[in-house]
Structure formats: C-alpha cells, structure tokens
C-alpha cells in the first residue's frame, strides 16, 4: 500500500509516493535523529555545458558569396549551425566562421538569393573553354562591372527554423578583420498543427525576385523580394551595418492547396520574359499526385498570383512519390526523379505539361557493400558552371546516388527527349544524402564536386572527362556515434588531474564508434590543428638524429635539408614535384662539411651559407656555390671543441661556446663579412668565460635589439646583449626553478612577439615550459624578465622553434606532442596552446578486398602520431601562399622524415581505424590492452525464391554480430601489390552466436577465487525466434588468449539462457554478475570450483534496464521509461533505495561518488543531476540541476582528457571537470560542475547576455520576463550555457561593461548602480584581489571555457 505525501525539496513542496510500512518503521526511531535526517539540506551546485564540436552531419552544402564578391565561399549547414568555408585556388577548403546562436532551434531548410558574380578567370575560346561551372542551386543576374562597391554581399542566406522564424543573414569583416554575421528575422505564419507549420519547403526564384515557404501540407507563403538596388540603398543609409535595415521582403501572400506538399521549386522563365515568376508544387491528395503551377508578374502586386488550371495535372503511377524536382534552365522545363523512373516535363505554361521519360539505359551498378537489398536512390543534384553562350543552349547536371555513384546529364532542346547524353561520371567512394554541390574554381579548371558523407567520410573531387574522379580533400564525418570509451594513453607524456585539487594523473584518449557498413570505423577524437603529411622519406639512421635545418635553395625549385647526426651530417634536396635528391657535391672542397656533427647552419641576408660544426666555422658564398667560390674556413685549435652555436642571419654574427683544452667554457662571437664579393671571418673582442656547461644557445631579438640567451647545466639562463662590434655583453642571469622550486635545466629558448608584447619561452628538460614577459630598455641596455606562467607540456625535453612567417607563433615538440603556441590577435592577444595532429593526405577512404574478405587499412584514417625526434620549418620562399595551410614543417618521426602542411584553424581532427562492419558497442579491455568493438557484418546470399521471366528476386542479406579486437596504438596496415593472396593477417575478429543474434552489451569480467583470477568477455544478446512474438536472450562468456602468430584465440566457454532479451550486464563482487533480462534484474554467483551458477536474488523493474553500474553495495540501473533506479545489494537481497521522481526515457548515467551525485541523460535532450545522500531520507533523489541540450547524450564519460596546458586544477569555483558527452549525431559536449558562487556569477552574466541582441541576435526578444538575478527554485536555472558565454568572449570586454552600465531592462527593479554592485559582489565571491571586476570575469570565463580535448 502506498500513500502520497508532501516533501520539502530545495524550498519547494513536491508530492512523493511513500510506502506505508516505511512510514511506520520510521516512526519507531529516535524523533530527534529522525527530524535531523529529514531536514538534511540538499547541496547546491550548477552545471556548465559547452559544445566542443558540432555534429559533422551536414544537411546541405551551398556555394554562395555571402561575405564579398571576391570570396569564393562554401556554406556548410547542419541541424543547428551554419559554417562558412572558403574555397581556395588549390581546391582545398579553409574554415572561416561558424554561427550557432539560433537559440537551440533546428534549421529546417536553407537557400540563398541575390546576384552571382562571373568566374574569376576569363574564357579561353581558343582552347575550347566554353563549358564550365556555376552555382548548384540558382541562376542569378550577373554583377554589373560599373556597379559601385556595396556593403552587402552578392548573396544572402535564407533559413527557416522550427521555431517558426525566417532568418536572413550574411557575413562581413569588422575593423579588426574578424568575420561577423549580420542577421534579421521574420515570423512565419503561425499554425497549431506541426504539419501545417511553414518551413519544411523553401524555394527561391532563379532571378531572386521572390521566394516561397511551404508547410508539409495545405498551405504555402509567397514573398516578393526588393530589388537589389533598393536593398543596397537601405543598408547603406547609416554609418554602420545594422540588422534593423536588413529587410529584403516587400510583400507577402499566403495561399492554400489541398493535400500534402511533396516538392516545391521555381521554374526558369524564357529569356525574353524578365518579369515572369513561375512556381511549381508537387502535391499529393487521395492517392493522386498532381502538378500545381502558379504564375505572377513581378511588376504587379502579389494579389495577382494565379494558378494555371483548376486541379493541376496528375502525374504517372510511377511518379507519385518524387525524390527530386529539378528545374531546367531551358524552356521552363523540369525533371522529376523517382525511385524507378526519371521524367522530363516541358510546356507546363500551356496548361498541360508534356512528360518525356529519359531513356531506360542500364543504371550504374550498385557500389558493393552495405546491408540493404533495395536499389540505391538518387538523393541530390548539382548544376556546374558553364559559359553564358553554352548555358543558353544546354543545361548540364550532376545526379548523385546514395551509394556514391555520380551521373552526368546533358540537357538541350536539340534532342526529342531533351537529353543528349547521360553517363556515369564516377564513384566517390562514400554514401551521399543531400549534402552535395558543385564548386567553382574558374573556367580553366575541371569540374569540382563536394559531397558530405552520409555515415561515412565525404570529400572534394575533381572531375575530368574520361577519367576517374580525383580526390582533393576529405570532409570528415564520425557520425553516427553509438558508443564511446576513454582509453588510457600508452606512454603518453600528458599529465592532468581528473578531480579538482587532485594529483595529476595519466591522460586518456576518446574513441567513438563511427560510420556504417563498409565505412564503419573506430574514431579517435582529437582537437587541434591538422598537419597534412606530404613528402615522406624512411631511413634506419633517422632515430639517431640530433637536429635538422631547412635551407632555401634559390638554384633549384625546392629546398634543402641538413640533418645532423652524432658523427656526421647529411644534405638532401626536396624539389617542388616531390622528388628527393641526395647531395652529390664534393663535401671536402666545394661543399658543406658532412663528415662532422653540425651544430648550426643558416643562410644570411647576403645569401652566404654559414655552417658550424664541432671543429670549424665554414662559410660558402651560397648553398650551391661551385669551386670558383671556395669555402672560407676557421678551424678550432687542437684540443678545443665547439659545443654549442647560434647564428644571427641579419648581422651575420656567429655565436659559439668553445670548450678549451683545460675544460674552461668560453662564449665567443665571430663576424662574417662580405665586401666586394670577398668573405672574411673575424673574431669580436675577447671571449666571455661561462661558469658552467651550456645546454642551449640562441640569438633572439627583443624589440630590434639582438640578445644571446645561454641555458646552463646549473639551471640558469644567462642573457647577453649582442653588439656587432663589441660582441656579447653580460646583462642578466636568471635562475630557472620548476615545480616546488626544484632547479630546472633549460633545453631550448625562443621569443614570440605581437604588437608591443613579447614573451620569452623556455623549454625545460623536465617537460615544463616557462613563459616570461620580456622587455628591453635603452641607456643603459637592460632586460626585464617577469615570470608569467608555467605550462606542463609533458615529461621529456621541450624543444621550441619560432615560426618564420608570423613572429607571434612558435612550435613546441615534446615526445609525441606537437603544439602551436602564440598570441591570438582576434582574441585580445591571448596566449594559447593548440595541439597539431598529423594526418596522411594520400588516401580517400578504406575499402574491402572482396576475395580475401580483409580490410585495407589506409594511412590517413588510422595514423598514430609517434614521438617527434627533430623538427624545423620550411623557408618562407617555399611556403604555400595559395593554400589553406599556414606553412610547411619538417619532422623526424622515428625512422621517417615527414613534410607536413599546417592548417590555420582549430577543429576536430579524427583518426579512423576501420572495422569490418557497423560498430555498435565499444569498450576498452585493460586485461588485453585493446579496444573491443561489437560490429554487425552483412553477407549476401542467393534468394530462396524462384525467379520468374523478367523478374530477378532480390538476394538475401544475412546480418551477424561479431567481436573485433583493435590495438589503438598499432601502426597502419597497408596492403599493396597485385598478389595479396600470400598475405596472412592475425585473426582479431570472432562471431557471436548465430545469424540474427544481436549483441546489446559487452563488459570485461575478472572473477577471482583465492589467488586465481580469470578473464572473460561477457556479452548479452537478444535472439529473434522465428514464429514467436517475444525475443529471447542469453549471456555468453568468451575466453580470449593471444596465440603465437600475434592473433587472438576466442572461444565461448559458457552461456546463460534467458526468456527475454538481456539488455545490460555488470560485474558484482568477486565472482557475481547482475543483469537485466526484460524488466527483471537478476544477481547470479559463479562457483569457480564447481563451475555452476547460483541465482542469488531477483528484482522486478518497471521497465527494462539498459545500463547497470555497480558502486560498492549500490546498483544503479537506467531504465527505458523510468529513468534511474538505485538499489542496494545487501544480505543477498535487492532493495530499492532511490528512484527518480521524473519518468524519463533514460539513455545513460554517470556516477560521481565524491559529490554524492549521479548524472542521467534521456531522450528528451536533457542531463539532470540527482543527489544521492550517504543516508537516504526520501524515496526519490533531489534534482539539483537540469540542462537542456540540442541533442540527447548517448554516453557520458569521466576522465582526464584535458591537455596539461589547459589545466583547471587551480581555478576557483569548480567541483568537477573532465566530463564528456556525445550524442548520436557526433556532437561533442563538455560538462563542468560549479560551486554555488561560480554558478551565480556565470548565470547572472548569462541572463544579461540573453537580453543582448549582440550576443543572442535571434532570441534576445524571447528572453523570459524575470529578474536577472539567478533563480534558485527551478533546477533548469542551475544550467549555465557555455556557448552563450563564448559568444560574449568573442566580443570586447566593453560589451559586458555595456550590459552592466547601459543596457536597459524593464524587468529589473534596481537601478544600474545596484546591478553593477551586485555584479561586483558576485565576482568577489569567486575571485580574490580583483581590481577590475569586468576584466577579471572575462579572464575567468576564458579559462573555464577552454576546450576539454
């Protein structure tokens, strides 16, 4: 029997079910103690969420110039974001900016309107360049060359949101060069029914005179657009661009139709009918599909819109469900693409359109692979650019199929069916949905197509006649993300704390399931800068390398590399075509000294080549000087040796550290002069005696003054002013101390500068990097060092080298970590550290060798970055000026030399490890030290049905779940050659059960008895029973052992059969398991002596439990319909302790024992924090907070994946860091739990931002009419939106100042002074010794919102 009673939770009375016997039992206790327990207050805390990376799933790709006429932009549109990328002349894409401030709304449709510019390069008629590309979706008026420069771009993007809003937006560069968006919005007609809500369909007139927005059924709206000249005049009427003046609509009319609207497009009018607007709808009603055509004269009012005919024109039986409606540029014709037929319609303006089916030639064969038996569908289309003369007679199209097949169509009026040719253009090797477009690189370039992969990696491809598509660049996609796991880093140099104020621990790596069928993979999610590998050279000598230098080689078309080894040096030349040439000159007379270890080498401003070895200083007239220009050589006296060297190329000064025969160490300076073509070497003044051995030597400029920096073995940094006449002059000696004031030896030193700020970077041998603010002063010349911070880069020596293009950037290598550091000019000169992740650019995607049924694992998706032994940067004369990459670096990775191009932007760089099917479950086995993934494989079998004349039955597709084992650190396996049948790969895949058995969960289980411990992989499954309504299930136990061949022997040892599917399983105690079969929770014990199972206890849940976690005596179960249930296992019984008061459709949970908290996620896109006190006093846990997110968290993981240079261990206001969440669409989120004081401050700032149109341009008017003071009664108020705070950080600190002192709000009772005082009070509650509260709050948020990866 149960009663309902009122319970006070967080200051609110809530109704909770109470068991009558529990109430009676509670009354028997001590009244005093019972009262204290009931009044035990729930803790108060907040949750901060931030998007690490948006979903890689793309809905559309639209080429549009929404920034400026000279910007060849490509727009990526996802569910919740718009991203602008720029197409560069080399065919690569460069990230520009991303907009995601739509208030959580979903983008339903997108198009662009406006003018289209002419291609950049002229038409070469003599070479027959009369056939080229144009925009994929629309044909617009060309820009007039005499048109004055406009502040609005040629095109504007239109979006429809599921919040019933219509958004117009474009981008521009502000005065600081930052790209910003300008947007305005318009309300769509309001409808109660979701099917009648406008926004499902969006179409734009080819000449941008109108656009239409339609609902799923019954109605659509037609909008008349203002002429471009009028819109330009309105936008330029003020001093600055304003969203208030972005009003492109001049008229609106809503019209009705009867039925479901399947497709909607504007048709092209005839060239001599400029004012004719034609709108075509495909409407289905009463099992009949009709074509409805509306026309309108643009010079008249929208009230003159009329429909041609009364009921429209019905289509054929095979065309009732069209997939695509493609308007043609010729004769107002259009194409209906259906599942089994493609039809061209023309002459619809006559009242009855004439259908002309396209010839039924043989369709391209299905791309092999996949589990579907159906014929692939045509999913999207693109129109390539062509010249005006050609386009007046022809219309070329590309059709893409969902399996990656692309067909080219040539349409013209010359043919009776308007089709001149249709050919297979090629196969892209990826699945394609609607993210498909044709890009424009000019008239003299081949066609360029881009495809965003559907559950696969997409790409950019170059199409030429009679040749296969050429891969240019990958479009990454790691969705769908069904599962993820944190893997300990093997030999990683990272050390980061998982808990606040906890000792640093080893970092983890994030792996997820990715892709489907033959594109299935396990993806390692990494965040940073992509370094695309190009040239590679392997040698067994590279592991012993000491250093490497890159030298400009003006006599050849590439650059040279000088490699220094302990006993010799080596010179090689890399040409622009990728060939690698060794140096063949005589290195004893006219060449460099390659018989000795090189300490320094450079090319001076006069073009001389200076090489310093352990025994000499050698100067050449140039790198490739012949015998007519002999070397100038200065050798060390007998018994002396150069131990360190550095060269100032501008002053031609050589600074060396010379070890005398008696052991003394001297700092020497030598001047190299070039007068009248003659080279001379002269020492400057007397050497300076050093007190200890040097560990590093560098010549750096502070301001315009050169200085010599010497790191010593005595943990000191000595600084000398370098004078061209008097040599080094002592200035300062600084003691280098590491953590705990332990002396730290400097390994390398460099200096970065930006504007008037300069930072000295000292890489230490213990893996730390000390950062100093440095300044030089004149009269007398002094140097001031102020310690700024210390970054932990790893545990090995840190090497730093300066970027030779941008003085504000340097690069750091430490073990396998490669980072870019420097000032971010667009982020207020913030010092930043970003990982550089290397990828291989040679391969497109993995494929399967069908005969051997083994996968070829290609280098790009599965490249694992090894330790970096040496590094340098290519000279500026050979940098990629027309690329999306900022520079070339040369790295020695083990036994391989690599030249890599570095990207400019920070993003997710995924590393893919292909698997043999669709991955669905992923775990890391500590016993095997391997990833274990559950995959679903498919196999095609002949149909059992008899074939009839003309009808071939579809084959059967058998699905089977298997377990595949992956070493996350295993090097890439590549299969080359034409005879792979001799290859034998280790067996690392094992089937589970029979065909049709589906694995629902997998765990590592290590039962023990006494001193003996066993290992099993435990798999729970669901089995489909033929002819039965209910599925059964079982638990299988697999033993895994390594064999002599390097493979794995997998054997099923035992099983437990269950009457219902087993949804989850977990280890309990030493030799027990707990599992959920159907909605029944069961605990079983395995007697390792008798090898028999014993049922301990059972418990009936309200719905099936899909996740089980054990923490001590408590068992946490996430159920499909009743959220979280917490049970206690005690005395061989299960008793319910706590149950969530909200019946959530549960997905996952994460236990945080140190906070007595459990995070739960559900299908309603929320994450809630449930409090579980040590002594429960109620049947339901208190909900401390609840966060609303754009997607549902399919997994929540806790681990130290934050890089050490982004450590938050000393940041106040944190309770828990390191929580990662992933949604099924691949979006990554980070969660941080905040103290009450930190939550109040951040929520106060968020409430201000919600009312600011500069931060929330779409939703600022929808802000709730409550006080800006944080609400402490609603759990959702304890959620802080980190994305909103990031948009504030992108603005100046003055924006926060404006919100505090000037922004008005009718809902605030206090005056501005009171608001300011409250803000300063909140800042003081989190931060100490604050002088400028606004700047302190901004810096606090910058640290707190750093990416977790």
């Amino acid at each position: 029997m149960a009663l309902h009673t009122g319970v006070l939770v967080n200051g609110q009375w809530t109704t909770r079910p109470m068991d009558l016997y529990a109430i009676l039992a509670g009354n028997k206790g001590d009244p005093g103690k019972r009262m204290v327990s009931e009044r035990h207050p729930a803790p108060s805390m907040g949750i901060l969420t931030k998007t690490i990376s948006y979903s890689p799933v793309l809905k559309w790709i639209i080429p549009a110039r929404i920034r400026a006429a000279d910007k060849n932009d490509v727009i990526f549109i996802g569910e919740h974001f718009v991203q602008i990328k720029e197409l560069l002349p080399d065919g690569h894409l460069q990230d520009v900016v991303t907009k995601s401030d739509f208030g959580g709304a979903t983008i339903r449709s997108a198009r662009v309107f406006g003018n289209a510019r002419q291609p950049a390069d002229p038409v070469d008629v003599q070479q027959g360049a009369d056939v080229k590309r144009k925009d994929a979706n629309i044909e617009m008026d060309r820009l007039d060359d005499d048109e004055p420069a406009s502040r609005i771009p040629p095109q504007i993007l239109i979006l429809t949101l599921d919040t019933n809003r219509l958004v117009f937006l474009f981008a521009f560069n502000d005065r600081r060069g930052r790209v910003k968006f300008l947007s305005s919005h318009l309300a769509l007609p309001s409808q109660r029914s979701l099917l009648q809500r406008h926004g499902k369909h969006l179409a734009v007139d080819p000449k941008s005179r109108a656009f239409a927005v339609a609902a799923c059924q019954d109605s659509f709206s037609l909008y008349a657009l203002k002429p471009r000249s009028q819109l330009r005049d309105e936008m330029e009427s003020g001093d600055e661009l304003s969203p208030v003046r972005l009003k492109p609509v001049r008229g609106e009319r809503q019209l009705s139709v009867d039925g479901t609207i399947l497709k909607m497009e504007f048709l092209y009018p005839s060239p001599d009918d400029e004012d004719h607007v034609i709108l075509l709808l495909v409407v289905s009603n009463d099992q009949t599909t009709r074509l409805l055509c509306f026309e309108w004269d643009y010079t008249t009012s929208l009230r003159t819109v009329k429909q041609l005919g009364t009921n429209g024109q019905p289509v054929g039986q095979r065309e009732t469900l069209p997939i695509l409606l493609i308007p043609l540029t010729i004769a107002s014709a259009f194409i209906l693409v259906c599942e089994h037929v493609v039809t061209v319609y023309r002459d619809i303006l006559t009242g009855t359109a004439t259908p002309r089916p396209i010839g039924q030639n043989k369709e391209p064969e299905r791309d092999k692979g996949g589990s579907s038996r159906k014929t692939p569908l045509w999913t999207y289309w693109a129109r390539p650019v062509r010249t005006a003369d050609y386009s007046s007679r022809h219309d070329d199209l590309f059709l893409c199929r969902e399996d990656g097949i692309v067909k080219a169509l040539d349409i013209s009026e010359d043919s009776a069916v308007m089709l001149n040719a249709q050919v297979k253009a090629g196969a892209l090797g990826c699945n394609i949905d609607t993210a498909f477009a044709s890009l424009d690189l000019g008239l003299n370039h081949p066609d360029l197509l881009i495809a965003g992969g559907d559950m696969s990696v997409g790409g950019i491809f170059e199409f030429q006649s009679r040749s296969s598509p050429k891969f240019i660049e990958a479009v990454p996609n790691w969705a769908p993300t069904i599962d993820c796991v944190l893997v300990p880093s093997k030999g990683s140099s990272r050390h980061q704390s998982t808990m606040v104020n906890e000792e640093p621990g080893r970092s983890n790596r994030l792996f997820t399931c990715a892709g489907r069928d033959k594109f299935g993979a396990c993806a390692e999610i990494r965040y940073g800068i992509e370094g695309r590998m190009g040239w590679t050279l392997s040698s067994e000598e590279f592991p012993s390398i000491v250093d490497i230098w890159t030298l400009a080689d003006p006599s050849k078309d590439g650059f040279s590399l000088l490699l220094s080894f302990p006993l010799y040096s080596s010179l090689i030349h890399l040409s622009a075509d990728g060939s690698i040439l060794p140096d063949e000159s005589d290195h004893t007379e006219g060449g460099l000294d390659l018989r000795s270890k090189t300490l320094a080498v450079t090319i001076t401003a006069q073009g001389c080549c200076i090489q310093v070895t352990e025994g000499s200083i050698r100067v050449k007239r140039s790198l490739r000087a012949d015998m007519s220009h002999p070397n100038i050589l200065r050798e060390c006296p007998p018994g002396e040796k150069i131990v360190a060297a550095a060269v100032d190329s501008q002053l031609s000064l050589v600074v060396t550290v010379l070890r005398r025969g008696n052991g003394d160490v001297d700092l020497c300076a030598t001047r190299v002069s070039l007068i009248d073509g003659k080279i001379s070497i002269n020492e400057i003044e007397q050497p300076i005696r050093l007190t200890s051995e040097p560990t590093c030597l560098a010549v750096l400029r502070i301001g315009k003054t050169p200085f010599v920096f010497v790191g010593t073995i005595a943990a000191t940094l000595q600084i000398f002013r370098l004078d061209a006449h008097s040599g080094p002059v002592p200035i300062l000696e600084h003691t280098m101390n590491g953590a705990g004031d332990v002396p730290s030896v400097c390994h390398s030193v460099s200096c970065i500068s930006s504007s008037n700020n300069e930072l000295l970077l000292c890489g230490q041998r213990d893996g730390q990097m000390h950062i100093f603010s440095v300044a030089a002063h004149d009269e007398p010349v002094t140097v001031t060092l102020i310690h700024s911070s210390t970054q932990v880069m790893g545990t090995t020596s840190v090497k730093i080298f300066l970027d030779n293009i941008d003085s504000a950037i340097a690069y750091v290598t430490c073990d396998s970590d490669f980072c870019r550091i420097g000032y971010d000019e667009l982020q207020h000169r913030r010092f930043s550290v970003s990982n550089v992740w290397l990828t291989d650019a040679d391969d497109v995607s993995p494929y399967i060798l069908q005969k051997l049924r083994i996968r070829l694992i290609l280098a790009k998706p599965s490249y694992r970055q090894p330790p970096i032994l040496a590094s340098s940067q290519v000279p500026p004369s050979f940098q990629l000026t027309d690329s999306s990459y900022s520079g070339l670096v040369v790295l020695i990775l083990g036994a391989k030399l690599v030249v890599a191009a570095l990207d400019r932007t920070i993003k997710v760089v995924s590393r893919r490890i292909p698997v043999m099917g669709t991955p669905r479950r992923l775990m890391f086995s500590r016993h095997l030290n391997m990833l274990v993934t559950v995959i679903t494989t498919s196999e095609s079998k002949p149909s059992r049905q008899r074939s009839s004349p003309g009808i071939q039955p579809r084959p059967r597709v058998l699905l089977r779940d298997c377990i595949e084992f992956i070493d996350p650190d295993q090097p890439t396996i590549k299969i080359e050659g034409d005879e792979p049948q001799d290859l034998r790969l280790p067996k690392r895949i094992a089937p589970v059960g029979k065909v049709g058995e589906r694995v629902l969960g997998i765990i590592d289980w290590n039962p023990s008895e006494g001193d003996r411990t066993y290992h099993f992989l435990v798999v729970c499954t669901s089995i489909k029973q033929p002819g039965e309504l209910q599925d059964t299930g079982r638990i299988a136990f697999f033993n895994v052992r390594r064999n002599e061949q390097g493979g794995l022997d997998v054997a099923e040892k035992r099983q437990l059969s269950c009457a219902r599917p087993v949804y989850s399983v977990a280890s309990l105690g030493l030799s027990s398991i707990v599992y959920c079969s159907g909605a029944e929770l069961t605990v079983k014990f395995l007697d390792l002596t008798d090898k028999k199972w014993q049922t301990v206890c059972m418990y009936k849940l309200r719905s099936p439990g899909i996740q089980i976690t054990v923490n001590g005596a408590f068992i946490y179960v996430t159920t499909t319909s009743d959220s979280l249930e917490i049970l206690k296992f005690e005395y061989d019984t299960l008793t319910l302790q706590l149950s969530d008061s909200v019946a959530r459709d549960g997905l996952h949970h994460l236990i945080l024992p140190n906070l007595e908290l459990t995070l739960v996620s559900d299908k309603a896109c929320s994450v809630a924090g449930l409090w579980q006190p040590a002594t429960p006093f109620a049947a339901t846990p208190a909900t401390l907070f609840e966060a609303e997110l754009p997607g549902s968290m399919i997994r929540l993981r806790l681990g130290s994946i934050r890089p050490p240079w982004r450590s938050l261990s000393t940041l106040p206001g944190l309770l828990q860091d390191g929580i990662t969440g992933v949604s099924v669409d691949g979006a990554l989120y980070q969660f941080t739990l905040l103290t009450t004081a930190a939550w109040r401050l951040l929520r106060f700032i968020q409430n201000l931002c919600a009312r600011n149109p500069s931060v929330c341009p779409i939703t600022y008017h929808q802000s709730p009419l409550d006080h800006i003071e944080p609400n402490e009664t609603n759990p959702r108020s304890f959620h802080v939106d980190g994305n909103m705070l990031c948009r504030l950080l992108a603005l100046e600190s003055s924006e926060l100042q404006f919100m505090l002192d000037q922004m008005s709000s009718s809902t605030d009772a206090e005056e501005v002074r009171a608001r300011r005082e409250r803000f300063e009070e909140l800042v003081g509650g989190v931060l100490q010794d604050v002088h400028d509260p606004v700047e302190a709050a901004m810096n606090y948020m910058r640290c707190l919102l750093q990416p977790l990866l």
Side-chain angles (χ1 to χ4, degrees), residues 549-554 558-562 571 573 592 601-603 609-610 623 872-875 877:
W549 295 268
T550 58
L551 304 172
D553 195 349
F559 57 91
S560 295
L561 296 176
L562 182 63
L571 182 68
H573 177 80
L592 299 174
V601 64
T602 191
I603 304 295
C609 179
I610 302 177
L623 183 62
S872 182
Q873 191 175 18
V874 176
S877 58

Side-chain angles (χ1 to χ4, degrees), residues 115-355:
N115 295 331
R117 68 172 185 176
Q118 295 181 0
D121 52 346
V123 180
D124 189 355
V125 180
Q126 295 180 355
Q127 296 182 2
D130 63 334
V131 179
K132 280 292 134 195
R133 276 169 285 160
K134 199 168 178 126
D135 186 272
N137 292 325
I138 57 175
E139 176 86 21
M140 300 181 180
D141 296 331
R142 295 182 178 179
L143 282 175
D144 190 350
D145 295 338
D146 297 331
E147 182 178 348
S150 175
R151 294 169 62 181
I152 62 173
Q155 295 175 328
I156 296 177
L157 181 66
I158 312 177
L159 304 174
T160 62
L161 307 180
D162 64 350
T163 54
N164 220 38
R165 310 297 295 183
L166 190 66
V167 179
F168 306 94
L169 64 88
F170 65 86
F172 66 97
N173 290 81
D174 65 4
R175 296 175 181 176
R176 297 183 57 187
R178 298 176 299 183
V179 180
K180 292 186 175 181
F181 282 96
L182 186 75
S183 63
S184 66
H185 49 87
L186 186 68
L188 291 170
S190 59
Q191 301 289 341
R192 294 183 179 180
S193 172
L194 292 177
L195 296 178
Q196 295 177 342
R197 183 173 298 177
H198 287 209
K200 170 64 176 178
H201 304 282
L202 176 62
V204 176
D205 174 62
K207 297 184 179 297
S208 296
R209 299 162 299 183
F211 68 93
V213 182
C216 293
Q217 65 181 27
D218 296 341
S219 66
F220 68 95
S221 296
L222 184 62
Y223 297 85
L225 289 169
K226 297 176 182 177
R228 177 178 173 83
S229 58
Q230 179 183 351
L231 182 60
R232 182 180 63 248
D233 293 341
E234 293 177 357
M235 290 296 299
E236 297 180 352
S237 59
D239 295 335
E240 296 182 355
L241 292 175
S242 172
V244 178
R245 294 190 294 270
L246 182 56
K247 298 180 179 179
V249 176
R250 70 177 178 91
E252 172 187 357
R253 183 184 175 186
Q254 185 174 352
L255 297 98
S256 300
V257 294
D258 190 11
T260 301
I261 301 175
L262 303 178
K263 298 293 175 182
M264 181 179 67
E265 289 288 351
F266 283 90
L267 302 182
Y268 285 77
S270 60
D272 56 352
D273 197 359
E274 292 291 333
D275 298 326
H276 197 184
V277 180
I278 310 169
L279 179 63
L280 178 68
L281 284 81
V282 182
V283 180
S284 176
N285 189 25
D286 293 335
Q287 299 183 355
T288 301
T289 301
R290 298 179 179 272
L291 303 176
L292 304 182
C293 185
F294 297 83
E295 61 178 352
W296 167 53
D297 189 338
Y298 178 70
T299 60
T300 64
S301 170
L302 284 173
R303 290 179 295 180
T304 62
V305 175
K306 63 179 181 179
Q307 178 181 347
L308 294 179
T310 304
N311 298 322
Q313 177 181 343
V315 299
Q317 288 295 328
R318 303 180 69 186
E319 303 168 1
T320 55
L321 291 176
I323 303 171
L324 299 173
L325 170 59
I326 307 174
L328 300 178
T329 60
I330 302 172
S332 300
F334 58 92
I335 297 177
L336 280 185
V337 179
C338 304
E339 182 176 2
H340 302 292
V341 65
V342 178
T343 306
V344 177
Y345 282 82
R346 61 179 304 170
D347 301 329
I348 192 171
L349 296 180
T350 61
T352 302
T354 304

